[in-house]
Structures are given as C-alpha cells and as structure tokens.
C-alpha cells in the first residue's frame, strides 16, 4: 500500500511536489495531481509583490546539479485570490508555502491563506538567496519566533522548511518542534554557492550564485534527515535530490514520512511522480513490504 498519512493529511502516495518547482498556477498544479503526485506545494507566497532575480533563474551546473536563484517572486498574498480559490478544484492535498520578513508578516499571510481550501501551511524560513540577508531558519530563536507567531493564528498544521545552511540543524529542528511545529520540511537548497562557469553551461544565474539541488545533494540530505529523525517526534517531509523510487524508499527509511520531489521534474518529466510510485511498488514487492508507512525511520542511526 503506497498510501501514507502525513500530519493528518491522507496521501494516496508519499510523493509531494516540492515548492518552487512549478509555480502557483492552479491549472498547472492540476496537471501535476493528474500526473500522480500525492500532494502539492505551490511556490512560496510572500507579503508584498516582488519581481525576483534577473534571468536566467535556473541553470544546470553539471549533469547532477541544478543551481537556482529565482528570488522569491510573488504577486503578494493579497493578489492571489483567483489562484487560491481554484485550489479547491485540485483533488490532492495542498501545502501552501508562505514567506515573510518578520514573524508578524508570516502570521498575517497564514491567517489569510487558510480562508481558502488548503490543507497545511509550509513556512519557508530558508530561502538561501533573498538578497536581504534574512534567513530565519539559520537561527533557533528566530525560527521559534516565526512558528510561535503563526501558531497563534493557525487552524491548519504548520511545517517550517529547514535550511542546511546553518551551524546546527538539530538545534533548529528541536526549537521548531518545541515552538509548536506540526511537521518539518527538510531541506531547502544548499548554498548559495558561487557559480563557476564551465564547459557545460554558457550562463550564470542572474543573481550570480544560487541554491544547489539535484542528485548531487541526495546523500548529504539523507544523513541530515536521519539525524533530525533521531531527535524529533513530529513527521518529516524529506526532500533533496530524490530521483527514483529507490531514492524515495531510502529517504523514508532514513526517517521521512513523505518525500518531496523537485529537481526530478526537470530530469524525468512531469509524470515523475507516477514513475517513482511504480518503482516504489516494485521495491515493496521485492522486499515484502506491505505498508510503506512501516519503513519510516528503519535505517536511522
Ligand atoms: O525563489 C527562490 O529563489 C528560492 C526559494 Br523561495 C527557496 O526557498 N529556495 C530556493 O532554492 N530558491
């Protein structure tokens, strides 16, 4: 059985579209649902309209690494009603991702978006290249402040998205849990790293550097998820370089209750969700696994 329960959400399978990959358009998100995703996370919605960084925003650094510096483009949460209304037509759970510049902004957006038919709120405290230096997720105190502010208004489960770009992610994860997070999303992209121009690419992201994703970050992500699983009780949405059913299975065994899929959409197409599910089913039958939920954390340290 591929179905999993994640933080009270019933998912037909554990694959979740990661935020930032396919925008916020309800029509496109409907296609992703039809392509087999168990849940969807639209691009993070911010407080005020913001244009984002110059193009190119997403560049392949090597065959297994993608660099992005999209720059949090958003129409601003008050200008999202048309799309947010249409999310009610999407047949799988929606995890609405939001970001702000202060705990109060997060709380205000969270209060607003939950008027629409969404199922969970992701707090993006971890974009690595906002350009204004704010990285709430690198600081346990600021992480707690954002979560506490949102918790006061939230009727839905809330899930901060953690960053690997911090001194001690275990401290951040515990702080998030203690502040009232219902789940953790781990992880956002690595970096930003300076972007060496090489023979594989002609262009540099418009921002000059960007967050790293793709298969090259998978093993490191797996280790971090396993470390977090060992210290928290709340469920983890694991993501970072998952390409195949085998990767998804390893991530669940490391401690993820559901698995985010992002860069794999670029590598394997929009139907990557169905492909990963088929591969997962094969592995389950080979390994005699009846319920996917039973493997979560099996290989943690
Ligand atoms: O928009 C972006 O450039 C971006 C965001 Br909001 C994020 O959370 N992570 C990322 O790698 N890029």
């Amino acid at each position: 059985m591929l179905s999993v329960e994640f933080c009270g959400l019933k998912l037909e399978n554990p694959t979740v579209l990661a935020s930032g990959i396919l925008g916020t358009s309800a029509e496109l998100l409907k296609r992703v649902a039809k392509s087999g995703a168990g849940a969807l996370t639209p691009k993070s919605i911010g407080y005020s309209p913001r244009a984002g960084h110059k193009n190119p925003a997403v560049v392949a650094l090597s065959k297994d690494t993608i660099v992005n510096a999209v720059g949090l483009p958003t129409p601003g949460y008050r200008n999202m009603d048309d799309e947010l209304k249409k999310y009610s037509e999407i047949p799988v759970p929606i995890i609405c991702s939001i970001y702000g510049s202060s705990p109060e902004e997060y709380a205000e957006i969270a209060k607003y978006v939950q008027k629409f038919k969404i199922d969970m709120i992701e707090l993006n405290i971890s974009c690595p290249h906002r350009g204004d230096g704010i990285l709430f997720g690198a600081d346990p105190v600021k992480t707690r402040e954002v979560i506490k502010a949102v918790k006061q208004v939230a009727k839905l489960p809330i899930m901060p998205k953690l960053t690997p770009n911090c001194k001690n992610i275990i401290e951040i994860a515990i702080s998030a849990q203690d502040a009232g997070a219902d789940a953790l999303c781990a992880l956002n992209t690595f970096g930003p790293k300076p972007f060496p121009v090489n023979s594989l690419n002609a262009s540099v992201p418009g921002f000059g550097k960007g967050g790293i994703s793709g298969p090259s970050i998978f093993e490191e992500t797996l280790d971090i998820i396993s470390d977090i699983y060992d210290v928290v009780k709340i469920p983890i949405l694991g993501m970072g370089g998952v390409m195949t059913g085998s990767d998804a299975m390893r991530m669940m065994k490391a401690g993820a209750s559901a698995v985010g899929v992002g860069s794999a959409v670029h590598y394997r197409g929009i139907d990557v969700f169905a492909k990963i599910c088929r591969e997962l089913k094969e592995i389950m039958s080979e390994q005699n696994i009846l319920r996917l939920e039973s493997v979560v954390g099996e290989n943690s340290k």
Side-chain angles (χ1 to χ4, degrees):
M1 220 167 58
L2 281 185
S3 60
V4 293
E5 189 177 318
F6 181 73
C7 212
L9 273 53
K10 303 224 177 315
L11 311 192
E12 275 187 24
N13 69 71
T15 66
V16 178
L17 172 70
S19 177
I21 304 299
L22 289 169
T24 55
S25 145
E27 286 312 312
L28 185 52
L29 292 168
K30 269 186 218 168
R31 270 186 61 202
V32 186
K34 280 203 185 115
S35 309
L40 307 174
T41 322
K43 175 92 179 147
S44 306
I45 299 171
Y47 192 81
S48 316
R50 184 180 150 109
H53 296 317
K54 280 188 288 184
N55 277 326
V58 183
V59 183
L61 176 59
S62 68
K63 67 176 187 0
D64 60 0
T65 304
I66 291 175
V67 181
N68 92 82
V70 183
L72 309 98
T74 181
Y77 79 93
R78 291 184 204 84
N79 300 314
M80 286 291 298
D81 284 13
D82 289 348
E83 290 312 322
L84 286 166
K85 271 182 205 151
K86 287 193 224 150
Y87 288 177
S88 65
E89 298 160 15
I90 299 175
V92 301
I94 300 288
I95 303 172
C96 185
S97 182
I98 64 171
Y99 73 89
S101 296
S102 64
E104 293 74 27
E105 283 191 7
Y106 279 91
E108 194 172 323
I109 306 171
K111 198 169 167 190
Y112 190 84
V113 295
Q114 67 189 356
K115 293 193 294 195
F116 298 88
K117 202 223 141 271
I118 58 166
D119 299 279
M120 187 168 191
I121 298 176
E122 175 186 276
L123 306 175
N124 187 350
I125 52 172
S126 51
C127 177
H129 33 65
R130 293 171 61 122
D132 58 8
I134 298 179
L135 190 57
F136 291 109
D139 178 338
V141 175
K142 295 207 170 77
T143 296
R144 188 173 64 228
E145 285 170 3
V146 171
I147 294 165
K148 284 214 173 250
V150 176
K151 199 68 190 168
Q152 282 185 357
V153 298
K155 297 192 189 105
L156 296 171
I158 62 170
M159 171 173 68
K161 184 168 188 175
L162 306 187
T163 174
N165 312 310
C166 63
K167 282 204 193 99
N168 185 345
I169 194 159
I170 297 305
E171 196 185 358
I172 307 277
I174 292 171
S175 172
Q177 173 175 266
D178 292 351
D182 300 287
L184 298 175
C185 178
L187 298 160
N188 210 317
T189 50
F190 287 63
K193 303 218 167 116
F195 192 82
V197 180
N198 63 32
S199 56
L200 277 168
N201 62 74
S203 47
V204 184
F207 190 51
K209 55 190 176 179
I212 304 283
S213 63
S216 62
I217 64 164
F218 178 69
E219 296 296 335
E220 195 174 343
T221 302
L222 215 56
D223 275 351
I224 298 174
I225 287 174
S226 168
D227 288 345
I228 296 174
Y229 178 81
D230 283 344
V231 297
V232 299
K233 294 193 173 66
I234 50 180
I236 301 169
L237 171 57
M239 63 183 68
V242 170
M243 296 290 124
T244 63
S246 163
D247 295 342
M249 181 63 88
R250 286 184 64 202
M251 196 164 263
M252 293 186 79
K253 288 186 177 180
S257 295
V259 176
V261 176
S263 301
V265 174
H266 295 292
Y267 289 97
R268 299 187 73 193
I270 201 168
D271 57 345
V272 63
F273 303 93
K275 290 175 182 163
I276 290 178
C277 287
R278 268 199 302 278
E279 293 156 0
L280 269 173
K281 273 192 188 152
E282 282 167 22
I283 299 168
M284 286 172 74
S285 89
E286 277 160 27
Q287 299 184 4
N288 227 352
I289 298 165
L290 298 179
R291 283 177 54 250
L292 202 44
E293 283 182 335
S294 68
V295 307
V296 175
E298 191 178 292
N299 288 357
S300 77
K301 290 162 192 160

